[in-house]
Amino acid sequence: MLRISGLIKTYRTGDKALKDVTFEVKAGQVVGLIGPSGAGKSSLIRCINRLVEPDGGKILLNDLDVTGLSRGELRQARRRIGMIFQEYALVERLTVMENVLSGRLGYVSFWRSLFRQYPPEYVSNAFALLDRVGLMAHADKRADALSGGQRQRVGIARALGQNPELLLIDEPTASLDPKTSRQIMRLIVEICRERNLPAIINIHDVLLARAFVERIIGLRAGEVVFDGPPQALDHEA
Ligand code: ADP
Ligand code: ADP
């Protein structure tokens, strides 16, 4: 599980992006992070994988104190956090399979040029993931030949390929049409339940969040102003 307590981030410009943010996410729970632009959503996500250095507070991922890690230890720790992005961040000229393998192998083209093959156990694991996200038939296609929804499925499979203990998901459907967005949200939530994975989804579309996640955290001006099930949002002023 993920435990965040008293998290503070003030940028050098003086912007107070996070002011004492505290919450926990249990295994298998998917949290939708909502709030107006500038509320601190990206800062929060970036503090958790330490792309941004928090100024105070603690972040615990199971037994690991993320805030206490040195630069060297951070590399290892980032393997434990799966990232899924709005624009997918795939390697366009690599195949679907190779993109998924890159979640675990790191430099796939290095493996290809040096050994002309990938470790069989990694390949079978990648096939299982492609099957789960419905892309088995597309394994050998180049990433740039796929539709947006298919590309995001590759992004999901790649994140899962590194056997993460947490998923951080940044606006996963912002570049997709409404129908595909719903399919992707459903897939993410189902997979997190199956694998008992905690996840935080930075999501602009409140209606979409309400329809698929069991818990919503609302941020405003760096503070948690709502934390509860989507139904409870109706009773907010
Ligand atoms: P959101 O993702 O909810 O739009 P952000 O985390 O991007 O919010 O921003 C929160 C606040 O921090 C805003 O006031 C924003 O201008 C500021 N901010 C974000 N990133 C930086 C940065 N790199 N340097 C200075 N201020 C930043
Ligand atoms: P988006 O919401 O499209 O993801 P962001 O608002 O997060 O874009 O900003 C994009 C980049 O600009 C990020 O690297 C962020 O840290 C930086 N940034 C955001 N707000 C500020 C700011 N007020 N001052 C300096 N950099 C900022």
Side-chain angles (χ1 to χ4, degrees):
M1 82 141 85
L2 175 74
R3 284 201 172 95
I4 294 177
S5 54
L7 196 65
I8 294 171
K9 175 64 194 176
T10 308
Y11 289 101
R12 260 180 287 191
T13 50
D15 285 281
K16 291 181 167 40
L18 300 170
K19 310 167 190 165
D20 195 14
V21 168
T22 298
F23 65 90
E24 294 184 359
V25 187
K26 293 199 199 77
Q29 189 172 55
V30 179
V31 171
L33 191 60
I34 66 170
S37 185
K41 304 183 297 297
S42 325
S43 297
L44 176 57
I45 298 266
R46 287 173 197 170
C47 279
I48 298 171
N49 60 16
R50 286 202 29 207
L51 290 173
V52 154
E53 290 294 328
D55 301 305
K58 246 190 175 11
I59 299 170
L60 289 171
L61 177 55
N62 297 321
D63 57 329
L64 183 75
D65 179 358
V66 177
T67 32
L69 298 175
S70 70
R71 285 269 142 217
E73 294 166 324
L74 201 52
R75 245 180 91 84
Q76 281 302 104
R78 287 210 179 109
R79 312 280 314 155
R80 298 165 66 159
I81 301 175
M83 298 286 302
I84 297 171
F85 306 92
Q86 173 177 344
E87 300 285 354
Y88 329 116
L90 305 181
V91 183
E92 302 294 339
R93 64 193 163 74
L94 293 182
T95 66
V96 166
M97 166 56 90
E98 287 170 326
N99 270 281
V100 175
L101 283 169
S102 73
R104 214 167 139 195
L105 281 177
Y107 301 100
V108 159
S109 29
F110 167 79
W111 274 84
R112 182 162 60 179
S113 58
L114 202 61
F115 304 109
R116 305 200 179 283
Q117 63 174 355
Y118 303 112
E121 178 234 329
Y122 284 37
V123 174
S124 54
N125 182 56
F127 269 123
L129 291 171
L130 283 176
D131 192 29
R132 179 62 190 88
V133 301
L135 287 182
M136 201 60 150
H138 302 285
D140 295 325
K141 285 194 184 151
R142 270 172 58 135
D144 54 12
L146 303 183
S147 70
Q150 290 172 330
R151 288 148 76 95
Q152 194 54 290
R153 287 169 190 270
V154 179
I156 294 168
R158 177 184 55 192
L160 295 173
Q162 65 186 74
N163 289 321
E165 293 167 41
L166 170 71
L167 285 183
L168 295 179
I169 313 176
D170 195 13
E171 296 278 6
T173 64
S175 307
L176 303 174
D177 65 69
K179 180 163 174 254
T180 309
S181 296
R182 287 192 296 274
Q183 291 168 344
I184 291 294
M185 284 299 290
R186 184 173 299 118
L187 182 66
I188 289 171
V189 170
E190 281 175 3
I191 284 177
C192 288
R193 290 219 180 100
E194 283 164 23
R195 301 189 157 227
N196 219 23
L197 256 178
I200 299 179
I201 307 189
N202 181 358
I203 185 162
H204 201 74
D205 185 337
V206 180
L207 286 178
L208 196 61
R210 295 175 66 115
F212 290 98
V213 307
E214 60 189 290
R215 176 178 171 201
I216 286 179
I217 290 180
L219 277 186
R220 187 177 299 149
E223 290 177 296
V224 176
V225 292
F226 176 86
D227 185 352
Q231 309 84 275
L233 268 177
D234 299 330
H235 307 293
E236 289 286 295

